[in-house]
Amino acid sequence: LALVEQQPGSSPADFLPLLSFVSHIAACFPSLMADLPEGLGRLLEERHDVLEPAVRRALLQALVLLRNRGMVPPLALLQRCFRLFRCRDKTLRARLYAYVVTDIKTANRKARDQPLNRALQNHVIHILQEPSSVGAKYALRAMIELYRRQVWRDAKTVNVIASALFCPHPKLRIAALHFLLGAHDAPHDGEDSEEEELQEARGAVSKLREQLGGKDGSHESRPGRCVNKKKRKLQRAMRSTKSRGKAEAAASFAALHLLHDPFTLAEKLFAE
């Protein structure tokens, strides 16, 4: 690491294999490798503009692996990822964005991790005021995507996004305005997997209904055990589709309703 820090533009030929090997075995030697995550993160954050693209991506992959092994606190890595949105590597930014959205969604899957959510939302407020428009753009985009996926579907998220209306970047102002007008619920290209899953589940319910209540009476000749098994499967599928439909209906309200003071916000906008 010291050699790469001194010459970030030309890393040794064996650096990437060694980095992969060390990141895989680091969890077996926690006391010996305690300083490794911080060293890798500092190298990536401070030298990302001069590091080779392959080295940047390898460092991010190593940090994610160490986080999965419990050697990196999730909050520290996510905050570093938000700060790295300002890097000029488009491929790295795309990977950071995908990781941030996926990791926050996973952290809130079983129960809401409110300390993590609040800390990250406050971190985004500072990023929106930074001079780097690229970093602020990706941070705002991640927040809107988390809201759309019903991970950060709360008043805090809406008001943080609304604060972008007064940031120094015109494109972010437009994005925040579109969000408040309801554009966040419009499906994005290549991002409608959840809708497709719901349609597939409804199709499976219809198919099971046809099999159990066939118009030709073919179900009467089947063994009772097979019919009972299909009935239980139908009931599980119906419960799943009903719960998804209720969740969609509960969340289908405008983000404007969650603003703390919409009238003051409107007056500030008209005064711009």
Side-chain angles (χ1 to χ4, degrees):
L1 287 179
L3 182 60
V4 176
E5 287 181 359
Q6 294 175 2
Q7 300 176 350
S10 57
S11 59
D14 56 348
F15 176 72
L16 296 184
L18 287 175
L19 176 62
S20 177
F21 173 74
V22 171
S23 60
H24 277 82
I25 68 169
C28 301
F29 309 94
S31 58
L32 186 62
M33 299 292 185
D35 297 333
L36 178 65
E38 181 60 28
L40 295 178
R42 187 175 62 252
L43 174 62
L44 179 59
E45 186 172 355
E46 295 178 356
R47 302 297 183 93
H48 59 81
D49 284 336
V50 291
L51 287 170
E52 297 176 352
V55 176
R56 286 194 292 261
R57 295 159 200 168
L59 287 171
L60 175 62
Q61 185 176 0
L63 287 170
V64 172
L65 178 60
L66 293 172
R67 182 260 185 272
N68 294 337
R69 301 288 176 86
M71 295 191 67
V72 182
L75 177 60
L77 182 56
L78 286 170
Q79 287 179 336
R80 195 183 297 274
C81 289
F82 272 105
R83 292 194 298 269
L84 284 169
F85 278 144
R86 67 174 70 98
C87 71
R88 292 179 291 182
D89 188 342
K90 188 175 181 180
T91 304
L92 182 65
R93 290 200 304 266
R95 294 190 180 187
L96 288 167
Y97 173 80
Y99 171 73
V100 164
V101 173
T102 303
D103 196 51
I104 295 176
K105 183 179 179 180
T106 303
N108 289 273
R109 179 170 295 168
K110 294 183 179 179
R112 298 294 180 187
D113 193 342
Q114 295 298 347
L116 176 70
N117 295 338
R118 284 195 297 269
L120 289 175
Q121 289 164 348
N122 292 333
H123 189 66
V124 172
I125 294 176
H126 297 292
I127 294 177
L128 294 177
Q129 303 302 323
E130 291 182 353
S132 174
S133 61
V134 176
K137 171 188 173 183
Y138 272 82
L140 182 66
R141 179 183 168 193
M143 287 203 75
I144 294 176
E145 179 62 17
L146 288 168
Y147 183 91
R148 194 184 73 83
R149 296 194 182 191
Q150 302 179 19
V151 180
W152 281 1
R153 198 101 176 183
D154 55 3
K156 175 76 172 181
T157 303
V158 173
N159 285 275
V160 171
I161 297 174
S163 67
L165 292 170
F166 309 102
C167 73
H169 312 298
K171 291 185 178 180
L172 269 66
R173 293 186 176 191
I174 295 174
L177 188 60
H178 281 240
F179 168 81
L180 292 175
L181 293 176
H184 55 82
D185 282 326
H188 296 263
D189 295 336
E191 296 179 355
D192 55 351
S193 58
E194 295 180 359
E195 290 79 1
E196 291 179 357
E197 290 178 1
L198 181 59
Q199 293 298 328
E200 291 177 1
R202 289 173 177 169
V205 169
S206 300
K207 185 176 180 180
L208 286 170
R209 280 176 174 170
E210 292 176 0
Q211 291 176 353
L212 287 173
K215 296 179 180 179
D216 56 353
S218 59
H219 65 282
E220 296 178 356
S221 62
R222 296 176 183 173
R225 183 179 299 177
C226 180
V227 173
N228 292 334
K229 183 177 179 181
K230 287 188 175 293
K231 284 184 177 180
R232 290 193 297 270
K233 190 174 181 181
L234 174 62
Q235 291 173 355
R236 288 196 299 268
M238 289 178 64
R239 285 196 297 268
S240 176
T241 54
K242 285 181 180 179
S243 62
R244 291 185 184 183
K246 289 180 180 179
E248 288 184 351
S252 61
F253 49 80
L256 283 170
H257 297 167
L258 296 177
L259 288 173
H260 293 323
D261 193 354
F263 298 104
T264 303
L265 181 69
E267 290 176 356
K268 288 182 179 180
L269 283 175
F270 282 119
E272 286 285 323

